[in-house]
Amino acid sequence: MGGELFFADADSNYSDADFVIFGAPFDGTSSFRKGSRLAPDAIREASYNFETYNPYFDIDLADIPFHDAGDADIPFHGAEDVDIPGNYTVEHAQAAVGEMVTTILRDGKIPIMLGGEHSLTVPCVRGSMNHFNDLGVVVLDAHFDLRQEYEGQVNSHACVSRRIIEDITDNYTSIGIRSGTRDEYSLARSRGITYYPADFVEDKGIPHVLAELSRHLDLDTSHLYLSLDMDVLDPVYAPALGTPEPFGLTDRQVLSLIRRLAPRSIGFDLVEIAPGFDSGNTALLGAKFVREFIASARASR
Ligand code: MN
Ligand code: MN
């Protein structure tokens, strides 16, 4: 357990906080590059680079009550050479995350999870659905994550969206998609899943996508959960990832999406950074996105 390191300016105590950050240091199903269990602390460390003042919103993070609750009760942190014991499964990690999210939502606060791998989004979405009974989900991701199972696991990072649409809600939209099996693309079409491929974002531009997305969400969605799989970004902007995929979104495109979606979001996560595959840029970008999420969400309330 880290325990000493907290996200910069998360100076509020828990009871006064409107936003509660927590870490989820687990990467047990990661298939290509492991390391996202090290991301929560890498993001926290990177967060100290930034000023508290946000000139775009004319708002100061020092004036916004937010709290860092530490990590969910997942027993593997820190050293890069610590392997996850075989008897600790992704389902254990999901249960720990679910407990954290349920408590935060019950206390009327907005949870912000620092992953960890993408499988940990499932308990966040489930907890949000249980709390609000009515939920839209937007996932920013290079990958569909629509597999029924992957490497024998139904709760793999490659199955996140499938679990969400089958077990929780089909009010689901993904943005930035550019990788999946033929079956995943067929499933998306046959289920009528709304998705905006990375090529579509590139061709039409973010303002067009945002306008279409807003119309779509206004119709169906009163509460929104936002999940940012960092591999939605082009590896040029975010090289330290579990499964990098070229021809992705720019940092500014993702920023625009966060600024637009944060105001209506009741929860947020940022997953799949694998520190160690760059010199810290991806964790810096992740930390900045968390700060922009909080500023954007607050500016509108
Ligand atoms: Mn994903
Ligand atoms: Mn992905």
Side-chain angles (χ1 to χ4, degrees):
M1 178 83 194
E4 299 84 16
L5 187 58
F6 295 105
F7 198 89
D9 310 305
D11 297 329
S12 166
N13 60 34
Y14 179 82
S15 57
D16 294 334
D18 294 335
F19 304 86
V20 176
I21 295 170
F22 68 95
F26 179 82
D27 59 8
T29 80
S30 295
S31 42
F32 185 61
R33 294 161 162 179
K34 288 199 191 287
S36 68
R37 70 184 178 283
L38 307 173
D41 276 357
I43 296 166
R44 288 179 173 119
E45 212 176 294
S47 66
Y48 287 86
N49 179 52
F50 303 112
E51 300 286 359
T52 59
Y53 181 62
N54 185 313
Y56 182 82
F57 292 111
D58 185 24
I59 203 166
D60 201 307
L61 283 197
D63 301 328
I64 304 174
F66 67 103
H67 177 78
D68 183 342
D71 290 339
D73 187 16
I74 295 170
F76 318 103
H77 310 69
E80 280 179 56
D81 56 359
V82 175
D83 267 338
I84 298 165
N87 61 357
Y88 189 87
T89 63
V90 60
E91 288 79 15
H92 290 113
Q94 288 179 325
V97 166
E99 234 171 82
M100 199 84 171
V101 163
T102 300
T103 304
I104 295 167
L105 289 171
R106 186 198 62 207
D107 294 338
K109 306 168 190 306
I110 294 179
I112 299 175
M113 180 178 75
L114 311 177
E117 57 171 56
H118 205 179
S119 57
L120 304 175
T121 294
V122 176
C124 297
V125 171
R126 184 174 287 117
S128 301
M129 185 61 164
N130 289 344
H131 187 80
F132 291 103
N133 285 316
D134 162 30
L135 188 72
V137 181
V138 172
V139 175
L140 314 184
D141 202 330
H143 308 94
F144 259 131
D145 293 347
L146 282 172
R147 284 174 152 96
Q148 172 53 26
E149 57 98 30
Y150 190 64
E151 295 180 338
Q153 307 226 47
V154 294
N155 288 310
S156 162
H157 70 99
C159 311
V160 180
S161 298
R162 184 70 173 264
R163 294 289 80 76
I164 291 172
I165 62 167
E166 287 203 339
D167 304 343
I168 308 173
T169 175
D170 59 5
N171 185 358
Y172 167 92
T173 306
S174 61
I175 305 172
I177 301 298
R178 57 195 184 275
S179 171
T181 63
R182 183 184 294 280
D183 284 350
E184 288 179 279
Y185 277 88
S186 306
L187 183 82
R189 277 190 294 270
S190 67
R191 291 276 178 102
I193 291 172
T194 306
Y195 68 98
Y196 301 91
D199 284 331
F200 181 89
V201 177
E202 173 67 19
D203 291 347
K204 300 283 187 180
I206 280 288
H208 176 96
V209 172
L210 284 172
E212 238 186 70
L213 184 65
S214 294
R215 267 197 306 277
H216 169 68
L217 293 175
D218 284 345
L219 287 178
D220 299 334
T221 304
S222 47
H223 304 98
L224 179 70
Y225 186 89
L226 177 61
S227 177
L228 169 54
D229 180 332
M230 283 287 282
D231 65 34
V232 73
L233 289 140
D234 192 278
V236 165
Y237 301 96
L241 300 165
T243 44
E245 186 69 36
F247 310 124
L249 273 57
T250 70
D251 52 354
R252 284 197 158 272
Q253 288 176 327
V254 173
L255 175 61
S256 298
L257 290 165
I258 290 172
R259 283 178 176 167
R260 176 66 71 91
L261 297 174
R264 58 194 305 168
S265 297
I266 54 79
F268 176 55
D269 65 62
L270 188 150
V271 297
E272 292 289 339
I273 293 177
F277 293 98
D278 71 357
S279 38
N281 308 9
T282 311
L284 274 169
L285 185 57
K288 189 71 179 178
F289 282 153
V290 169
R291 296 171 77 81
E292 285 288 334
F293 175 88
I294 293 170
S296 315
R298 171 43 58 99
S300 68
R301 271 157 222 251

